[in-house]
Amino acid sequence: MDAKDTTRVELTDFLDMKRAGRPITMLTAYDTPCARLADRAGVDAILVGDSLSNVVLGHRDTLPVTMEEMLHHTRAVSRGASRALVVADMPFGSYQISREEAVRNGVRFLKEAGAQAVKLEGAGPHVATVRALTEAGVPVVGHLGLTPQTAGMLGGYKLQGRTAEAARRIFDGALELEAAGAFLLVLELVPARLGALVSRRLRIPTIGIGAGAGTDGQVLVFHDLLGFEPDFQPRHLKRYAELGREIERALGAYCAEVRARSFPDEAHSFRMPDEEWAALEAALGPVGARPGEEA
Ligand code: KIV
């Protein structure tokens, strides 16, 4: 999509972009101002990732974030996204217990929070859940490779699909998710060759994060791409700004100016008409002036 195009991105546009060889852009966002910025920058899809848990809410990983928290932040993102498609991550525990509960929770994201699609992690037992959601009218994005909700079972946050056998499992899972009705597939932390192979063999588009240049699109975490955490530098991450350092510098400058009484200055203060001041002084007696006050 053209960044200047203001027409809403529809689900079917993603297939058209893949067919036309146009790379798809996706970014996470968790609140209205960031969604608005991503939308204005022209991203095709905004993911309200369950990375909300660790990126914004201060948890160690994605497991603690709840349905209610995901709904709350998805509503905020939906208010800021006038063009990009909004995808909400189904949090851990919201789709594993039963298919019925998964459909109920998926429907809530569309009905109550303004999302156009949901994302869930894994294949295997979740393939049937993807089918049930799709049949219920809830569009689904799949997620394979490193699946953070089960990172503990995968040996931690590390590259997946390095052996022929592990790569085959991801490949087969991708085909199963496509057959079950997923309309997009996120591939996280897999070798570039595997990312390209899956992308070539699937009809639906793939979105990579640490999956090389051969996927049909890319996704990054908003705060990571903007350098909110200067020391967070995994190999797959390219930082396009150093906002963490810049924000710290700005906040430090604000504290220093307040302490030095150089903020607020005349330009950031409001005047009171002299005659009103005189009337007040007449009522109260001389008030005296402190630094920065009008004499
Ligand atoms: O939650 C998230 O941010 C994600 C992306 C890393 C794809 O799932």
Side-chain angles (χ1 to χ4, degrees):
M1 292 278 121
D2 178 351
K4 299 279 176 292
D5 188 352
T6 54
T7 32
R8 192 130 216 154
V9 180
E10 303 292 343
L11 290 170
T12 49
D13 290 333
F14 293 96
L15 210 49
D16 292 344
M17 284 186 250
K18 174 160 182 148
R19 289 197 185 116
R22 254 184 296 142
I24 297 163
T25 55
M26 181 188 261
L27 254 185
T28 70
Y30 315 97
D31 59 30
T32 306
C34 295
R36 207 172 271 144
L37 290 169
D39 200 71
R40 282 201 214 123
V43 300
D44 301 308
I46 298 178
L47 171 67
V48 191
D50 60 350
S51 48
L52 166 69
S53 181
N54 46 304
V55 174
V56 170
L57 301 182
H59 296 297
R60 279 192 54 205
D61 52 37
T62 60
L63 299 192
V65 74
T66 65
M67 260 308 286
E68 296 311 317
E69 287 166 334
M70 287 301 302
L71 286 166
H72 178 75
H73 285 262
T74 303
R75 280 184 207 108
V77 166
S78 298
R79 288 192 280 267
S82 52
R83 180 185 161 276
L85 188 102
V86 175
V87 180
D89 243 339
M90 296 197 66
F92 183 62
S94 70
Y95 60 95
Q96 288 87 348
I97 291 159
S98 74
R99 235 164 278 158
E100 198 178 284
E101 198 172 326
V103 172
R104 190 177 306 118
N105 285 327
V107 165
R108 288 191 73 192
F109 280 110
L110 271 59
K111 247 178 118 80
E112 298 175 31
Q116 280 90 48
V118 300
K119 175 167 83 58
L120 57 83
E121 296 182 4
H126 304 306
V127 171
T129 307
V130 170
R131 182 169 293 113
L133 280 159
T134 309
E135 284 172 357
V138 180
V140 181
V141 179
H143 183 157
L144 292 177
L146 176 74
T147 45
Q149 292 176 6
T150 45
M153 292 159 83
L154 300 173
Y157 289 83
K158 52 185 192 197
L159 189 70
Q160 302 296 310
R162 286 186 66 189
T163 64
E165 195 189 335
R168 183 66 204 253
R169 270 199 301 275
I170 292 172
F171 180 82
D172 288 345
L175 291 178
E176 287 168 19
L177 289 172
E178 174 175 273
F183 77 100
L184 272 183
L185 176 67
V186 168
L187 287 172
E188 180 165 356
L189 286 194
V190 297
R193 280 178 155 177
L194 179 59
L197 168 70
V198 172
S199 308
R200 268 200 308 278
R201 296 290 183 91
L202 287 190
R203 191 181 49 83
I204 60 168
T206 58
I207 309 284
I209 173 163
T215 53
D216 301 303
Q218 299 293 328
V219 57
L220 280 177
V221 168
F222 190 93
H223 297 65
D224 295 350
L225 134 88
L226 294 174
F228 269 61
E229 288 293 343
D231 298 331
F232 184 61
Q233 189 52 83
R235 183 182 166 96
H236 72 270
L237 172 63
K238 180 167 177 185
R239 289 209 297 259
Y240 287 81
E242 295 299 336
L243 293 198
R245 289 191 216 290
E246 177 56 15
I247 291 170
E248 258 182 64
R249 187 207 57 73
L251 301 183
Y254 161 74
C255 291
E257 289 195 6
V258 169
R259 289 184 186 122
R261 293 195 186 281
S262 56
F263 174 81
D265 55 9
E266 178 90 32
H268 297 93
S269 302
F270 301 92
R271 290 189 71 81
M272 185 170 170
D274 289 346
E275 60 280 13
E276 295 301 331
W277 184 251
L280 185 67
E281 269 197 324
L284 297 181
V287 182
R290 283 176 41 148
E293 287 177 350
E294 295 165 46

